[in-house]
Every structure is written in C-alpha cells, then in structure tokens.
Amino acid sequence: MGRIVLRVPLDFDAPIGEVFDAVAQSDPPEGPGWVLWSTYFSGPLSPVFADGEALARWLTTAEARPPLLDRPLTIEQARRLIKVGEMPTAVFTGGEMVDGSTVLDE
C-alpha cells in the first residue's frame, strides 16, 4: 500500500479521496497531467497538475496533509517523490510505525 505518481489527462476529474471506478476501467487513462494516487483504495489523492513541479509544490502545503501525510512534505521530499514515483504509506523503524515519507529522506 502506498502512493504513486501517475500521468493522467489534464481534465481527469475523479473525486479526490474516493475509489476510482475500477468496474468501468482498471486504470485511469494516461495523459500529460500529474496526480498522486493511492494504491490502497485506488483513487486520486491530489488534484491534477500540468507538471511535476506544480504537484511537488502542492505536496508541501497544508492542503496535502490530511489524511495524506502526518505532515506536509518538504520541497526536497516532494521532488524526490516525483522523481522516484512512489512511496509507502508507512514504514517501521526502531520498532515504531512512522509515515512513509521518511523514505524520501534517504
């Protein structure tokens, strides 16, 4: 379970935080837009942006935080997420479960 960066049409308008209609189609259509996608419930976690940098900047805002992250990402973490294309929901470190964004610090 995690979050992945997908390329979708700029006018892709699936509701944020809701399950994408997998009956109609298994994956969202491809396009030039950028969106953060949940692999847990198979749906968008962000609006669609025209470029990866705009998505990265959005990921640093309070709007991106609940319930997406424990805290907004730093711009460096957000840019790394855009580059690698995925991050886990959570990881275990030192016997504790922490937000998966910690893998973006490495």
Side-chain angles (χ1 to χ4, degrees), residues 20-76:
F20 181 64
D21 187 358
V23 173
Q25 129 181 15
S26 59
D27 292 314
E30 291 184 26
W34 297 74
V35 68
L36 191 65
W37 195 264
S38 169
T39 60
Y40 175 67
F41 65 83
S42 190
L45 293 168
S46 75
V48 176
F49 293 92
D51 58 60
E53 182 63 20
L55 174 57
R57 285 191 309 270
W58 181 82
L59 289 166
T60 67
T61 68
E63 183 183 357
R65 191 184 121 347
L68 176 58
L69 304 164
D70 290 341
R71 58 185 165 73
L73 298 179
T74 65
I75 192 64
E76 293 81 13

